[in-house]
Amino acid sequence: LLIEAKELAKLGMVVVVPEIGFTPRGDPQADSTIVINAVIAQRRALDLLTRRDDTDPSRFAVVGFGWGGALAQIVAGVDSRPVAVVTVGCGGRWSRRAYRLAKPKDAVPYLDALTRFDGARYLAAGGRRVVLAQFGRQDERVPVAEADELLAVTTGTKERKDYDTGHDLGACPMAITDRRDYLHRVLRIK
């Protein structure tokens, strides 16, 4: 992400690249706390950007890959500041992905706790944001049904791009170009 962030900075964008990991443990409370703290951290990053003299709060975007895409979806639903959202390699049901990774002993309480963080819920809420969703056609992590559902429930202006690749859309030249062009256009970068 750093190379892509540097390229965006050359176009005049101020870029924050937070590193917020999430390795699901299978404990509903612990995993929920990780998500909540991650969303708080993302919103604090927006707070910091708001205070800078060289940023325009009317042109904020959130971009995320995989787990970061899930965070971007949530942040877009709880914070009105992002006008552009790019979710890469992430369906709208992060709880299912976390479940598959964690393999908790009891699925019901785990999914009950984590479905409240599914991005489909947040992008279904109204807002002034414009959403770009990028998917790899051979991505084994994001089922086609989840990608389809995410776009079906997303309200407002949205675009979907599918690429002949797997999950690693960070290394797909066309996906990188599409993200850059999308942010340039939506954020009105000169």
Side-chain angles (χ1 to χ4, degrees):
L1 296 179
L2 191 55
I3 292 170
E4 191 170 339
K6 287 180 179 181
E7 291 301 316
L8 294 173
K10 287 178 186 176
L11 295 173
M13 296 181 209
V14 176
V15 182
V16 176
V17 184
E19 187 173 326
I20 303 172
F22 180 33
T23 302
R25 300 178 187 152
D27 177 328
Q29 290 297 80
D31 289 355
S32 292
T33 299
I34 292 170
V35 176
I36 290 166
N37 289 337
V39 171
I40 290 168
Q42 294 282 42
R43 295 186 75 197
R44 286 185 179 158
L46 291 174
D47 292 342
L48 291 172
L49 288 173
T50 300
R51 291 187 209 122
R52 290 178 58 125
D53 292 335
D54 61 345
T55 63
D56 179 353
S58 71
R59 298 191 297 171
F60 282 170
V62 288
V63 179
F65 296 72
W67 155 240
L71 280 178
Q73 294 167 6
I74 296 168
V75 169
V78 299
D79 197 308
S80 63
R81 292 176 288 185
V83 296
V85 179
V86 182
T87 179
V88 184
C90 183
R93 299 292 174 189
W94 181 254
S95 62
R96 293 177 188 165
R97 175 80 178 128
Y99 173 78
R100 290 189 297 270
L101 290 170
K103 300 178 181 108
K105 292 178 184 175
D106 195 349
V108 173
Y110 189 80
L111 289 171
D112 283 350
L114 268 71
T115 55
R116 67 185 163 141
F117 303 117
D118 285 345
R121 294 173 178 251
Y122 295 91
L123 293 183
R128 64 184 177 109
R129 65 188 172 263
V130 179
V131 177
L132 170 63
Q134 295 181 307
F135 303 101
R137 289 187 184 99
Q138 289 89 39
D139 190 343
E140 295 177 4
R141 297 181 192 178
V142 181
V144 173
E146 285 184 29
D148 292 344
E149 177 199 22
L150 180 66
L151 267 290
V153 301
T154 297
T155 60
T157 305
K158 56 192 170 188
E159 294 180 35
R160 175 180 180 160
K161 299 276 188 167
D162 294 281
Y163 304 90
D164 289 322
T165 188
H167 187 70
D168 189 11
L169 291 165
C172 175
M174 182 56 75
I176 293 167
T177 298
D178 287 345
R179 283 191 294 277
R180 182 199 62 222
D181 293 349
Y182 171 82
L183 290 169
H184 194 268
R185 182 181 78 246
V186 172
L187 299 177
R188 303 173 323 276
I189 304 298
K190 296 177 183 178

